[in-house]
Each structure stands twice: as structure tokens, then as C-alpha cells.
Amino acid sequence: MTETNAAPVTGHSPNALAAVEAEIVRACKEARRDRASVTLIAVSKTFAADAIIPVIDAGQRVFGENRVQEAKGKWPALTSAYSGIALHLIGPLQSNKAKEAVALFDAIHSVDRPSICQALAKEIESQNRHPELFVQINIGEEPQKAGIAPGEADAFIASCRDSYGLTISGLMCIPPVDEPPAAHFALTAKIAERNGLKKLSMGMSADFATAIMLGATHVRVGSAIFGHR
Ligand SMILES: *Cc1c(COP(=O)(O)O)cnc(C)c1O
């Protein structure tokens, strides 16, 4: 994917969504997987309700946001107006936002340090809400990126369970932008498998078909659906 300075495209999309859906169906067929084994998360970050509503109207119900504050501003009105919406937090989480995150999101893909585990455990208990949790792996070991190093993943996943009582469903990764993603997806899948985790959040607009071939259960697709940000 290339970065551009184009103005955000708003209010387009049913066709783009259909094209992404067709590509998911094709990749599932090639991987001999059931279409139902892959959840499409439409990443609506930076887009306002007027761009999101056509995608909801086209049938999409699972959406991803990367900022708690932004999601809190635009989603409550939409989730009360439309039934069956699920929201996934795919961006970094600060401990002081854990309360709002647990209240708003159905899944959190960015569990990546003990302080977040502690804050989530407290909120899950006090709110009695149980968002699905993914541990983020810094699969390319990039210094500027969030996530647990692959070599520390097994111990961290065990500590989520043993020290904080959290149920981890799977792993999330964002491969380095300048490298072919397949080896990173494969390593993420291997770490998940040896830890008994069934869900894999991997693949974005540029590489979701490859991710599906390598076992992704959740693909996070933004610009291919909503246009450039
Ligand atoms: C923005 C974002 C995406 C979607 O990226 P696209 O390339 O627009 O599909 C996926 N995952 C994360 C973590 C993101 O922040």
C-alpha cells in the first residue's frame, strides 16, 4: 500500500465492500477454508458517520477503530441506530482508557504489556463485560512498533492468564511495511498454535488474501473499503 495525500474519500463504498468480499471468498476457496471462518473488520478510523452508514447499509456489521476517543465520539449513535454492530479496537490502548475501551468495544486487538493487562482485568471484572482479547505481536521486531517480541510471546501469553486471569483468544500482528508479509503471518500463526490460540488478526488492504492463506481469522481492511485516509 502506498501513502498518498489525497483528500479522504467519503460517501462511496458499497462497491468497494463487495469487491473486498469477493476477494475474501476467492482466498477462502483457494485456502480450502469456509468463508465463515474469516471475519471482515471494516476499519473506519478517520471516517465520519456519513461515510460509514452506506457500508452498514450494505450489510457490514463489524468495524475497527484505532482510537478510543474517536470511536466514543462517533459510534454510540450508530450502534443504537443499527442492530448487531460489533466494534473492534485495533490501535494502541493506554491504561487510563481501559474503562472506556471495555465499555465500548467487543474486541481489543492491542494487548501488549502488563499494565494494560492489569487495567483490563480490573474493568472486565467491574463492568462484567468480556471483550475478546488479542495479544499484539511485534512480528518484525521493529523498535517503533507496539507489541510483544516473538521471543517473549509465550511467557507473556501465559502471564495474561496466570497473573491477570485474562482469556486471550488470539494474536494480532502488523508486518513491516517494506517486507513481504507471508513469513510474518506464518510465524504469527505458529506462535498462536503452540500457545493453543485459535484466532489470528492479520492482513490489511494490501495483503488480506495472503493472510487468509496463512490462517487469518480476522482481516482488518480500511482503505480498500473506505478509500484513502
Ligand atoms: C489502519 C489500520 C488497518 C487498516 O489499514 P488499511 O491498509 O487501510 O486496510 C489495519 N490494522 C491496523 C492496526 C490499522 O491501524
Side-chain angles (χ1 to χ4, degrees), residues 1 43 45 66 90 172 174 204-205 220-224 229:
M1 190 191 57
V43 177
K45 65 187 184 195
N66 69 335
I90 60 169
M172 181 273 233
I174 309 172
M204 309 183 6
S205 290
R220 310 177 309 266
V221 180
S223 50
R229 289 182 292 271

Side-chain angles (χ1 to χ4, degrees), residues 4-222:
T4 75
N5 294 318
V9 176
T10 54
H12 92 316
S13 292
N15 292 337
L17 178 68
V20 169
E21 174 60 27
E23 181 63 5
I24 292 172
V25 168
R26 191 203 59 74
C28 284
K29 207 167 183 180
E30 192 180 339
R32 298 174 188 279
R33 296 181 55 189
D34 191 337
R35 167 66 187 90
S37 70
V38 179
T39 298
L40 170 61
I41 303 170
V43 177
S44 51
K45 65 187 184 195
T46 79
F47 288 96
D50 65 342
I52 297 171
I53 287 168
V55 179
I56 298 174
D57 285 338
Q60 179 65 24
R61 285 295 179 275
V62 184
F63 290 86
E65 290 284 342
N66 69 335
R67 290 169 192 267
V68 176
Q69 229 37 47
E70 180 186 339
K72 210 185 147 196
K74 67 189 183 190
W75 277 102
L78 291 168
T79 47
S80 55
Y82 296 89
S83 63
I85 302 270
L87 286 183
H88 290 227
L89 178 63
I90 60 169
L93 179 59
Q94 311 299 327
S95 302
N96 63 3
K97 296 277 167 59
K99 183 175 187 171
E100 293 167 307
V102 169
L104 186 61
F105 290 97
D106 301 288
I108 296 173
H109 293 235
S110 46
V111 178
D112 69 350
R113 54 192 191 276
S115 59
I116 291 298
C117 293
Q118 190 167 16
L120 287 174
K122 176 172 169 264
E123 290 304 327
I124 286 166
E125 185 178 355
S126 70
Q127 299 182 37
N128 193 26
R129 271 185 53 89
H130 297 267
E132 192 158 50
L133 302 178
F134 293 77
V135 168
Q136 183 172 350
I137 304 297
N138 186 355
I139 201 67
E141 304 196 56
E142 298 171 278
Q144 81 285 9
K145 239 176 218 168
I148 298 289
E152 288 158 21
D154 297 359
F156 182 77
I157 293 161
S159 85
C160 288
R161 184 186 57 229
D162 301 338
S163 307
Y164 301 100
L166 296 175
T167 300
I168 300 297
S169 296
L171 302 181
M172 181 273 233
C173 76
I174 309 172
V177 285
D178 53 354
E179 290 177 27
H184 295 291
F185 292 151
L187 180 57
T188 305
K190 197 169 153 191
I191 297 169
E193 185 172 20
R194 72 171 181 246
N195 284 281
L197 302 176
K198 298 216 158 44
K199 304 208 169 157
L200 286 169
S201 167
M202 54 191 203
M204 309 183 6
S205 290
D207 56 19
F208 65 85
T210 304
I212 289 169
M213 294 304 297
L214 291 162
T217 61
H218 292 68
V219 292
R220 310 177 309 266
V221 180

